[in-house]
Amino acid sequence: MMKRIALIMMVVTFSCVGVNNLFAADYVGAKRCKMCHMKQFKSWRNTAMSKAFELLKPGERTEAKTAAGLDAGKDYTTDAVCLGCHTVNGKADMPGVQCEACHGAGSEYMKVMMTNRDFKLADIEAKGFVLPNEATCKKCHNEKSPFYKSFDFATAKDKGTHEHFKMRKEH
Ligand code: HEC
Ligand code: HEC
Ligand code: HEC
Ligand code: HEC
């Protein structure tokens, strides 16, 4: 009985602070998504964003860096500010704009994708999945980028992310 009351209180508390606190999803890295999404992976691998970590190394894009007032000879791969937009998790161990930078940390929604072939969008969204929209991109495509000029979601979506392949269901 006491256990049950404690459980109810926990649920109430968690509901108040929001559903995201019910679980902690971890980043798993693009290789884990690759095993089920080979086509998206291959297409993504050819995008500029997949290689965005490289831009932080000295000698990369020297002209653009100098023009933006940065030191083209400096190694920015340990600069927390730069890492925030050039990695998935703000750390060099998850370099570049990988799947989860746009689709959300995957450890929990991946389990749904693995086990329930008929899952609905709401099922994975409840586990941290993100169907990327303009706001997702603007986490990085904003005036805090030393190179920001403008961002048009409609054109950028097809140009920058990965090729899109037919899915089993519509949203
Ligand atoms: C064990 C296989 C498996 C793994 C691993 C996996 N997925 Fe999926 N995923 C699926 C299946 C199955 C679907 C549904 C496919 C369909 O609708 O045709 C899906 C659907 C999706 C969708 C579309 C969802 C929608 O409703 O529009 C996205 C985006 C996605 N996965 C991203 C990811 C990402 C990112 C990762 C890695 C963090 C990942 N998946 C890992 C199997 C997997
Ligand atoms: C985690 C940060 C981050 C997120 C999230 C992000 N981007 Fe980017 N994006 C970058 C960086 C960094 C570059 C610079 C890559 C380069 O110049 O090589 C870039 C470059 C691009 C480019 C230019 C690529 C090219 O080949 O010229 C497009 C288009 C783009 N992003 C679209 C998007 C869209 C659409 C979204 C959301 C669905 C998005 N980005 C989300 C960081 C991000
Ligand atoms: C707020 C997110 C954000 C931060 C912080 C950030 N970047 Fe970027 N970076 C981007 C995006 C997005 C692009 C693509 C161009 C654009 O729209 O700004 C980009 C592009 C670049 C480019 C390519 C520029 C070109 O014209 O070829 C380089 C190099 C780069 N970033 C280096 C850095 C360095 C070094 C830092 C830290 C001093 C940094 N970035 C901080 C998001 C960011
Ligand atoms: C820069 C952002 C971005 C990155 C990085 C990204 N995606 Fe996506 N992804 C999108 C967008 C935008 C859509 C289309 C969403 C919609 O249908 O409105 C999408 C759709 C999908 C879909 C649905 C089917 C399709 O082809 O459109 C799958 C599956 C998927 N992504 C998997 C992945 C995997 C796996 C990776 C990493 C290898 C990845 N994505 C990396 C932005 C991204």
Side-chain angles (χ1 to χ4, degrees):
M1 188 59 189
M2 282 309 288
K3 266 189 187 158
R4 184 172 286 179
I5 290 170
L7 187 69
I8 289 168
M9 284 176 64
M10 260 172 71
V11 170
V12 170
T13 314
F14 280 131
S15 316
C16 295
V17 289
V19 71
N20 284 332
N21 295 304
L22 277 174
F23 67 95
D26 295 318
Y27 293 107
V28 299
K31 285 202 180 102
R32 300 287 297 283
C33 318
K34 176 187 174 186
M35 61 182 176
C36 298
H37 298 296
M38 184 55 99
K39 284 192 282 193
Q40 284 86 0
F41 180 88
K42 280 189 173 163
S43 171
W44 164 80
R45 209 70 196 89
N46 291 323
T47 64
M49 272 188 283
S50 75
K51 307 172 186 84
F53 180 75
E54 300 302 309
L55 302 175
L56 304 183
K57 294 181 177 169
E60 294 284 336
R61 310 268 176 106
T62 49
E63 276 179 40
K65 277 181 186 160
T66 307
L70 296 174
D71 179 352
K74 188 178 162 186
D75 181 1
Y76 286 100
T77 59
T78 55
D79 184 312
V81 175
C82 314
L83 288 170
C85 295
H86 287 260
T87 67
V88 178
N89 58 355
K91 300 197 198 99
D93 65 354
M94 287 255 168
V97 186
Q98 301 187 27
C99 323
E100 294 165 288
C102 290
H103 291 294
S107 67
E108 301 307 307
Y109 67 71
M110 202 175 86
K111 288 179 196 156
V112 180
M113 290 173 179
M114 276 178 176
T115 51
N116 174 10
R117 193 67 187 79
D118 298 316
F119 67 82
K120 304 251 184 321
L121 182 59
D123 299 334
I124 49 175
E125 281 180 337
K127 297 288 181 191
F129 176 81
V130 175
L131 195 62
N133 58 24
E134 188 163 358
T136 316
C137 315
K138 286 186 168 172
K139 283 187 301 182
C140 302
H141 288 272
N142 62 54
E143 61 289 337
K144 286 187 187 145
S145 159
F147 303 93
Y148 183 74
K149 287 189 191 74
S150 66
F151 183 76
D152 178 47
F153 178 64
T155 39
K157 185 174 158 181
D158 291 328
K159 196 175 155 223
T161 58
H162 52 73
E163 252 183 273
H164 300 292
F165 303 92
K166 230 186 165 58
M167 298 291 290
R168 117 187 99 90
K169 55 189 175 298
E170 305 292 326
H171 299 117

